[in-house]
Amino acid sequence: MLLTLASGALFFPGLFALCTWALRRSRPGWSRTDCVMISTRLVSSVHAVLATGSGIVIIRSCDDVITGRHWLAREYVWFLIPYMIYDSYAMYLCDWCRTRDQNRGPSLTLRSFLSRNRLMITHHAVILFVLVPVAQSLRGDLGDFFVGCIFMAELSTPFVSLGRVLIQLKQQHTLLYKVNGILTLATFFCCRILLFPFMYWSYGRQQGLSLFQVPFSIPFYCNIANAFLVAPQLYWFCLLCRKAVRLFDTPQAKKDG
């Protein structure tokens, strides 16, 4: 545990520093803000690949969705804790880089950051103070399969990060940006929304229940927990859909005008 925590505490900040240094050396025309913000996206994508890979290994290794075991289901959670702490700081650093020309004081910058990123900060806090204790102790030796499923939710992150990098580089007009937008919607919908019906279906298949019988056959708090987990995903997916509509409506609007 301690070795994994220490590895994560060194790996993610170290990777961020390395990416920032490499971008400033290889792209002298980019501003410091560009290098910092793009580096945070690269680190997020690396974490997403590691989490998704861990999820795939866990899911494939668990023949029983309740009692199946794999060591990564616990070990990667310890690796996740330093990433969540790093990512919270990285979000603040990006916000500071965007607004530093406004000459605002540190307290005002922090309040503005907390106000604009309220949902994401809450998301990180829930993971650290609720989901981590549940995954590491409260669930006992059960449910590694479902932990692996939750890890799979990170599959959409590299596409979200690439989209933000392309916006940062003012490449919204490119075909790559539009294709990446479609992939972002597809992966987000499959791995962050359909993921929950998939977990219910997997449990039902093993227990001989239909998908619609499962919510009435599991503890009520499981349904409540899943509802709280999927609610922000639905909100973010709606935001992505609105951005996609604006993106694909723009050429037509210009043509009609």
Side-chain angles (χ1 to χ4, degrees), residues 28-80:
W30 287 4
S31 67
R32 182 187 177 190
T33 298
D34 287 337
C35 293
V36 167
M37 296 183 71
I38 292 173
S39 294
T40 62
R41 306 305 177 198
L42 290 172
V43 175
S44 295
S45 297
V46 170
H47 164 259
V49 170
L50 293 175
T52 302
S54 299
I56 292 172
V57 170
I58 295 167
I59 290 171
R60 289 178 59 87
S61 300
C62 293
D63 295 328
D64 189 295
V65 301
I66 302 298
T67 60
R69 302 296 307 279
H70 194 281
W71 62 271
L72 273 174
R74 291 193 183 277
E75 204 64 26
Y76 193 81
V77 174
W78 296 125
F79 198 63
L80 175 69

Side-chain angles (χ1 to χ4, degrees), residues 44-224:
S44 295
S45 297
V46 170
H47 164 259
V49 170
L50 293 175
T52 302
S54 299
I56 292 172
V57 170
I58 295 167
I59 290 171
R60 289 178 59 87
S61 300
C62 293
D63 295 328
D64 189 295
V65 301
I66 302 298
T67 60
R69 302 296 307 279
H70 194 281
W71 62 271
L72 273 174
R74 291 193 183 277
E75 204 64 26
Y76 193 81
V77 174
W78 296 125
F79 198 63
L80 175 69
I81 293 172
Y83 170 76
M84 285 296 161
I85 297 172
Y86 149 80
D87 195 50
S88 299
Y89 172 74
M91 287 192 299
Y92 172 76
L93 182 61
C94 290
D95 192 74
W96 178 82
C97 287
R98 283 193 297 264
T99 60
R100 61 178 176 170
D101 293 337
Q102 300 176 16
N103 295 320
R104 297 187 302 187
S107 61
L108 183 59
T109 300
L110 179 60
R111 286 200 301 270
S112 176
F113 165 72
L114 294 175
S115 177
R116 283 201 303 268
N117 297 276
R118 191 179 301 114
L119 182 58
M120 185 61 74
I121 293 168
T122 303
H123 170 263
H124 280 46
V126 168
I127 289 176
L128 286 172
F129 299 113
V130 178
L131 296 187
V132 167
V134 169
Q136 298 301 79
S137 60
L138 297 181
R139 69 184 178 92
D141 294 330
L142 305 176
D144 282 12
F145 174 86
F146 299 109
V147 174
C149 289
I150 297 299
F151 288 165
M152 286 291 296
E154 290 296 322
L155 180 62
S156 63
T157 299
F159 302 102
V160 174
S161 296
L162 177 57
R164 291 177 177 173
V165 168
L166 292 172
I167 291 173
Q168 183 74 21
L169 300 177
K170 297 179 173 58
Q171 298 297 309
Q172 300 96 312
H173 61 282
T174 61
L175 177 62
L176 174 60
Y177 183 78
K178 294 181 179 180
V179 171
N180 182 73
I182 295 172
L183 292 174
T184 299
L185 287 174
T187 54
F188 198 100
F189 182 71
C190 291
C191 296
R192 289 184 179 246
I193 296 176
L194 290 184
L195 172 72
F196 292 90
F198 169 75
M199 291 192 291
Y200 278 61
W201 173 82
S202 298
Y203 177 83
R205 184 183 64 169
Q206 181 170 295
Q207 301 297 322
L209 302 171
S210 71
L211 176 63
F212 300 104
Q213 291 175 313
V214 172
F216 305 100
S217 304
I218 62 177
F220 181 68
Y221 63 81
C222 292
N223 293 315
I224 296 297

